[in-house]
Amino acid sequence: ATAANLSVANTGTLVVGAHANAAGTSASAAAGAVGVLQVAAATSENLSIVNSGTATVTAHAIASAVGPTGTATTATGTTGVGPASASAVALRLGQIGVGATTGAASVTNSGTLNVAARATANGTSANAFASAIGVWQSVDPLPINFTNSGTLNVLAAANAVGSTGAATATAKGYYGSAFGGGTETATVVNSGAMHVTAHAVAPGTAIAHAVGISVTNAPVTTAAGTPPVVTVNAQAMNGSITNSGT
C-alpha cells in the first residue's frame, strides 16, 4: 500500500481478558490480551489513538503439574509430579508501522489504562513469564508522539513454584521502539500518573523489571568480507521526554 491512515478514539469502557488454565502430569499455559493494536505497512503512515475512557486488559495463565501427597484416603497436600510453564502477555494500546518514509504515530491518553499480566507455574520444575505494557509504539523510523495526562496502572507478576525453576516479570508504562535504521524522533510528555510494578518469585532465578518510560532505536548490523566482519552501527535518537506527573 502507498498510504495508511488509521485512527481509533475511545471515550467509553473497554474490557479485554484472556485466561488460560492447564493441569496434568506436565502442564503448559499461555494467555495473551490486547486492547487496541494498529498495524500498517505502507510508504506513508499516519497512526493515531486517542483514549479518554477507561480500558482494562488482563492476561492470566496458570499451569499446574501437581498431585496429592499421602494416600487416597488421607491426602495431606499436593506436590509436583512434572514440569510446568506459564506465560502471560498483556498490551493496552499498540502501534506498529513498517516500511514508511513519511508520516507519524501518536497516542494520547487522558483516561485510565489498566494492564495486568499474571503467570503462575507449579510443578517439579516451574517456569513463569509475565509481560505487561501500557502503551507501545514500534516504527521503522517515523516520528512517535505519546502524551499522557491520565492514569496508567501496569502490573506484571510471575510466580514459579517447584524444586527448580525461574520467573521473569517485565512491566512498562510506555515503550517506544524504532528499527530498520535511520534517525528516530520521539516526543514523550507525561503530566498524569504512571504506576508500574513487576513481581517475580522462583526457587531458582527470579527477575523483575519495571520501567515507566523507555525509548530505543535498534542498531543495524552488517557483515562483509571473507571471513565476514560484523559491524554494529548505532542509530541516532532525537526528541524529548518531559515528565511533570508521577
Side-chain angles (χ1 to χ4, degrees), residues 14-117:
L14 177 65
V15 178
V16 179
H19 302 273
N21 195 331
T25 53
S26 64
S28 178
V34 178
V36 174
L37 179 62
Q38 294 177 322
V39 180
T43 56
S44 175
E45 298 169 355
N46 289 283
L47 312 179
S48 173
I49 298 176
V50 178
N51 178 68
S52 59
T54 299
T56 300
V57 177
T58 58
H60 195 184
I62 301 173
S64 180
V66 299
T69 57
T71 66
T73 56
T74 60
T76 58
T78 58
T79 187
V81 296
S85 64
S87 174
V89 177
L91 167 66
R92 174 56 193 99
L93 302 177
Q95 294 174 320
I96 301 174
V98 180
T101 56
T102 61
S106 67
V107 174
T108 302
N109 176 59
S110 60
T112 300
L113 305 178
N114 303 309
V115 187

Side-chain angles (χ1 to χ4, degrees), residues 74-171:
T74 60
T76 58
T78 58
T79 187
V81 296
S85 64
S87 174
V89 177
L91 167 66
R92 174 56 193 99
L93 302 177
Q95 294 174 320
I96 301 174
V98 180
T101 56
T102 61
S106 67
V107 174
T108 302
N109 176 59
S110 60
T112 300
L113 305 178
N114 303 309
V115 187
R118 297 178 176 88
T120 301
N122 192 342
T124 52
S125 61
N127 291 279
F129 173 80
S131 174
I133 301 176
V135 176
W136 176 42
Q137 294 177 297
S138 179
V139 295
D140 189 356
L142 282 179
I144 55 177
N145 303 281
F146 172 59
T147 301
N148 178 58
S149 59
T151 301
L152 273 72
N153 299 308
V154 181
L155 168 67
N159 187 19
V161 180
S163 299
T164 62
T168 301
T170 301

